Amino acid sequence: MSGLDAPICGMTWGWTGVRGTWLTAQASASMDAMTELGVNWVTLAYAAVQATAQSTVVPFADGPTVTDDEIRGAVAAARERGLKVCLKPVVNVADGTWRAYIGFFDVDVPGEPSWAQWFAAYGEFVLHHARLAAELGVEMFCIGCEMVRADGQEAHWRALVAQVREVYDGLVTYNCDKYQEDRLTWWDAVDVISASGYYPTGTWPEHLDRIEAVVRREGKPFCFIEAGCPSREGSPARPNDWSLVGAPSERAQADYLDEMLTACAERPWVGGFMLWDWPADLYDRSEASTNDDYCMYGKSGADVVRRHYLSARGWSDVSRSSPATAIGSQAGRLRDS
């Protein structure tokens, strides 16, 4: 479990990984601003774009996906700022369909696109970036994100994890979607269980109870590799809905983040967060009050995150308890409890 000995006080940076945006002066300034929140980890998240949910081609060498050199540059920038790194290659769909709906017939049918064809293409994409993760010595590699319909293809995922381990010896995780933590059947294949924690305000205790049963059963470290809430009226009730209509509200976001981080502080098995999200090209700070997206730059939510993160890392005398504990020892502790 080397590399996860401290709580994960992280941020997701650079989404969606648009080519030409990661090696700019704006990107450098963005990463500098992100470090002011007390982060010690960063997830570099970027997407390859397939045409439709039934396409079996993942053209990751083409734009708009960032290039390998842009990823190398972003990792170097994170290292210069003392951050540990998770690489997270993700597949998106060009027509706007959410990747969770990528899917094919359960049984391969001649002449129809199949899971086998898709996993061959997706596997090429993932393995290319697993090799890059090995080259760059990043601490963690995420093999997929919120692939709800694909989650049931256990044999394909197990084979992909095995292939990744042949080229990368760091920690391997998979980012399941919200509500799916207790549905995945192959958590034993990865090193770290991770999930998108977009749970409605007022429901965190019940979902943490459900997830805890999984973590205890598997004896694995756990983190929320995505979590957050737009700064928008109504978003705390639907934090996963980036298109929800509502007036900008710093308070809505700040209150939600405080609720989430406080609830998780009471669960020592929650190893931390890679909050969603921090763009490579930030809006101007003067626009923070009218920006209604997930990024908390210049907003009240940034103060909340900084307070929790600095407390978790023991850098300030804040009364709040830590939102994360040393994840490296979780597996043994869970088995002994």
Side-chain angles (χ1 to χ4, degrees):
M1 290 300 170
S2 162
L4 286 181
D5 297 330
I8 296 177
C9 299
M11 191 70 67
T12 300
W13 184 89
W15 182 255
T16 56
V18 175
R19 187 167 296 188
T21 64
W22 276 23
L23 298 180
T24 65
Q26 291 89 342
S28 181
S30 166
M31 202 170 283
D32 282 339
M34 182 183 71
T35 63
E36 295 175 4
L37 273 66
V39 298
N40 60 1
W41 274 83
V42 63
T43 291
L44 302 178
Y46 48 95
V49 183
Q50 64 181 63
T52 72
Q54 280 70 53
S55 298
T56 57
V57 176
V58 181
F60 63 88
D62 302 335
T65 309
V66 288
T67 66
D68 290 357
D69 282 344
E70 287 178 290
I71 295 168
R72 291 184 179 101
V75 171
R79 296 290 191 224
E80 289 168 2
R81 292 159 177 81
L83 304 178
K84 295 181 179 180
V85 177
C86 173
L87 279 194
K88 184 178 171 182
V90 175
V91 65
N92 275 350
V93 181
D95 64 11
T97 303
W98 181 29
R99 73 188 75 88
Y101 293 107
I102 292 172
F104 307 91
F105 295 159
D106 291 338
V107 177
D108 291 355
V109 175
E112 300 293 344
S114 68
W115 281 116
Q117 292 170 327
W118 183 81
F119 267 98
Y122 181 72
E124 184 180 355
F125 167 51
V126 169
L127 286 170
H128 175 87
H129 290 95
R131 294 185 185 96
L132 192 57
E135 171 196 325
L136 299 171
V138 304
E139 286 81 3
M140 188 154 60
F141 183 74
C142 185
I143 63 167
C145 174
E146 302 172 349
M147 306 293 295
V148 180
R149 286 196 65 191
D151 284 351
Q153 296 295 310
E154 180 175 343
H156 285 299
W157 285 110
R158 289 185 181 278
L160 180 57
V161 172
Q163 290 175 307
V164 167
R165 293 196 187 282
E166 290 178 1
V167 300
Y168 172 73
D169 62 3
L171 293 160
V172 177
T173 190
Y174 173 74
N175 175 184
C176 76
D177 192 34
K178 58 200 176 298
Y179 301 94
Q180 305 303 313
E181 297 93 345
D182 52 352
R183 297 177 180 274
L184 213 72
T185 59
W186 43 276
W187 283 128
D188 61 292
V190 300
D191 302 306
V192 178
I193 298 170
S194 67
S196 290
Y198 301 108
Y199 291 112
T201 182
T203 70
W204 274 94
E206 66 186 79
H207 290 297
L208 290 171
D209 286 347
R210 178 178 54 80
I211 298 168
E212 183 172 0
V214 177
V215 175
R216 289 186 177 278
R217 182 190 71 218
E218 298 293 336
K220 300 272 185 177
F222 173 87
C223 70
F224 285 109
I225 200 167
E226 287 190 23
C229 179
S231 52
R232 191 180 308 164
E233 294 285 354
S235 284
R238 287 170 58 183
N240 60 298
D241 189 350
W242 56 268
S243 64
L244 183 72
V245 175
S249 174
E250 290 186 40
R251 179 50 51 197
Q253 181 185 59
D255 287 349
Y256 178 88
L257 291 170
D258 197 36
E259 175 190 351
M260 177 185 74
L261 292 165
T262 300
C264 291
E266 299 170 358
R267 311 291 182 120
W269 52 268
V270 177
F273 300 84
M274 301 281 195
L275 294 175
W276 193 267
D277 72 322
W278 202 269
D281 189 1
L282 284 173
Y283 48 83
D284 190 87
R285 194 180 187 97
S286 65
E287 300 171 358
S289 63
T290 57
N291 179 281
D292 65 354
D293 212 339
Y294 287 88
C295 182
M296 65 286 301
Y297 172 63
K299 304 174 187 175
S300 302
D303 297 330
V304 171
V305 171
R306 186 174 187 274
R307 171 164 54 83
H308 280 276
Y309 275 7
L310 294 185
S311 177
R313 300 180 66 186
W315 283 11
S316 63
D317 186 18
V318 180
S319 60
R320 296 281 186 184
S321 57
S322 166
T325 57
I327 194 168
S329 61
Q330 284 182 17
R333 183 170 66 250
L334 288 166
R335 282 191 294 268
D336 294 340
S337 60

